[in-house]
Amino acid sequence: MHRSSRTGLVLLLAGAAVLGGCAHRTEPIYQWESYQTQVYQYLQGQSSDPQKQIASLEADFQKIRAQNHKPPPGFHAHLGMLYASVGKDDQALQEFQTEKSLFPESTAFIDMLLAKANSRKNSQQDKEKTL
């Protein structure tokens, strides 16, 4: 091998090493798990059982937290709506508050959900008082 081709090879390998060292893998901000599928099925009316969706999202949330990642925007709001659909109003309110604190840009939408959930909770308490 000629000296000039050997030098070219060394320079090529050094350049590749430098460029490889500069490569930066960007980690995603959020971890989605089955959230997108759950929302899609919900919006398509394909979700049959809210309890199954709740169980799936709760399991997803545990995975996300275990890996020290964040759930995506809307995750807690969707979980809150599912809780509200099965009558778990306190958990629904908590999920809505969590969504609002994590994503302040969703405040207007979450405030509307909170108002509905609080209204429903108050009417149920009024019914219980009259019985």
Side-chain angles (χ1 to χ4, degrees), residues 3-4 9 19 25-26 32 44 57 61 74 87-88 92 95 97 99 122 126:
R3 184 176 182 164
S4 64
L9 180 63
L19 291 176
R25 183 172 175 233
T26 304
W32 298 82
Q44 293 294 313
L57 289 176
F61 187 64
K88 295 181 177 180
E95 292 298 325
Q97 291 291 350
E99 181 76 22
N122 290 338
D126 290 343

Side-chain angles (χ1 to χ4, degrees), residues 41 56 60 67 78 104:
Q41 289 174 346
S56 179
D60 287 348
Q67 296 173 1
H78 187 70

